[in-house]
Amino acid sequence: MNNQRPAPPKKTAIDEWKIRLSGEQLNGGNKKPTLAFSVVKNQVRINVKTNVEGDKEYGLIRAAMDSPTFFALLVELQNAIDAPGEYKAYIKNQNYTFYQGKRSESPTLVSTTILGKDANGRVYLTVTAKDRPKPIFYFASTFFHSVLKADGSSYTEAEDSVLYAKAFVTLLTGLTPAVLANEYIEPDTSNFGNNNGGYNNNNNNNGGNNNQSSSAPAPGGKTDFDDDLPF
């Protein structure tokens, strides 16, 4: 029996470690949580590492999505950036699950992507799941750089967050298609059966991923996900 772990996915330009976000260290964490992007088998992934001791799935919470859904996410990020006040949007990430080698009969919710703008004007993004830690990642200037206004004054925390959220939307809008094109792999359709084999707009089975989104102004002026996660 071969007990070797599968080789890690090939690294691409979107795996560049500076194209990621970090959050405040969580209770039980050994270092700050991180949020990173990757492209694997024609899917864009958001990978959150909680870095909490004893967390399930080795601390990984993932949102794997098709290209249209990822770009819908970027549109929603832009909506959050442009919002005059608080804003919040969700994308429900569904997939088949496996127990004792048997696939579930239908896709189930495996994670939820949450993004928005908080009461202080900061733009954020995260992925969380039921009974898992809930890190939050704010867009902000990087450790080695500070952007100043023409008069030499500093941006406010909200202005800085909006600036870098715009930068991420611009960067990912340009970089992601190039990586998807360069790393394209022809999918194996032999096991698609009656799953329609691809994208459809009825939120039915689509070959392994089923993403649904909803958006609304953030309730109650808070960024606490415990009470309003759509589980």
Side-chain angles (χ1 to χ4, degrees):
M1 180 180 295
N2 185 359
N3 293 321
Q4 288 185 337
R5 299 181 68 174
K10 177 186 175 182
K11 297 292 185 182
T12 71
I14 208 169
D15 288 286
E16 159 61 37
W17 71 273
K18 291 185 179 180
I19 310 177
R20 64 178 180 178
L21 305 174
S22 63
E24 294 297 323
Q25 188 166 320
L26 301 169
N27 289 336
N30 50 32
K31 55 185 176 180
K32 292 183 176 181
T34 61
L35 181 151
F37 303 90
S38 63
V39 171
V40 178
K41 295 182 179 178
N42 310 324
Q43 285 193 326
V44 186
R45 294 177 175 181
I46 301 177
N47 305 299
V48 168
K49 290 287 290 183
T50 66
N51 291 317
V52 171
E53 293 284 353
D55 188 21
K56 294 185 287 188
E57 306 295 337
Y58 303 99
L60 175 65
I61 307 174
R62 172 172 290 152
M65 64 201 83
D66 52 57
S67 302
T69 302
F70 180 70
F71 277 84
L73 169 76
L74 296 182
V75 171
E76 281 286 26
L77 265 178
Q78 189 63 53
N79 290 340
I81 291 166
D82 295 337
E86 295 175 73
Y87 189 89
K88 184 175 288 186
Y90 307 95
I91 297 177
K92 293 163 38 177
N93 308 305
Q94 301 180 89
N95 207 339
Y96 291 99
T97 57
F98 291 83
Y99 180 70
Q100 295 182 345
K102 184 178 179 180
R103 193 182 78 166
S104 59
E105 292 185 0
S106 60
T108 59
L109 184 66
V110 294
S111 67
T112 302
T113 307
I114 309 174
L115 62 98
K117 179 186 284 185
D118 71 8
N120 297 315
R122 296 180 298 170
V123 183
Y124 61 86
L125 173 67
T126 193
V127 180
T128 189
K130 189 174 182 180
D131 300 326
R132 300 292 301 278
K134 296 178 175 62
I136 181 169
F137 304 92
Y138 289 101
F139 293 93
S141 52
T142 59
F143 182 77
F144 292 104
H145 302 278
S146 298
V147 181
L148 304 177
K149 298 180 182 180
D151 61 3
S153 62
S154 299
Y155 280 85
T156 66
E157 192 174 42
E159 291 170 335
D160 179 78
S161 182
V162 165
L163 175 65
Y164 271 81
K166 288 180 178 178
F168 264 82
V169 169
T170 302
L171 174 62
L172 293 170
T173 299
L175 181 60
T176 307
V179 173
L180 286 167
N182 290 336
E183 303 300 325
Y184 177 74
I185 299 173
E186 185 175 358
D188 178 7
T189 60
S190 60
N191 294 320
F192 276 27
N194 295 321
N195 291 343
N196 299 328
Y199 173 74
N200 65 75
N201 58 10
N202 295 317
N203 288 321
N204 294 323
N205 300 349
N206 60 5
N209 276 284
N210 188 343
N211 302 281
Q212 299 173 321
S213 63
S214 60
S215 60
K222 63 179 182 178
T223 317
D224 181 354
F225 305 137
D226 288 331
D227 297 328
D228 57 3
L229 275 174
F231 286 123

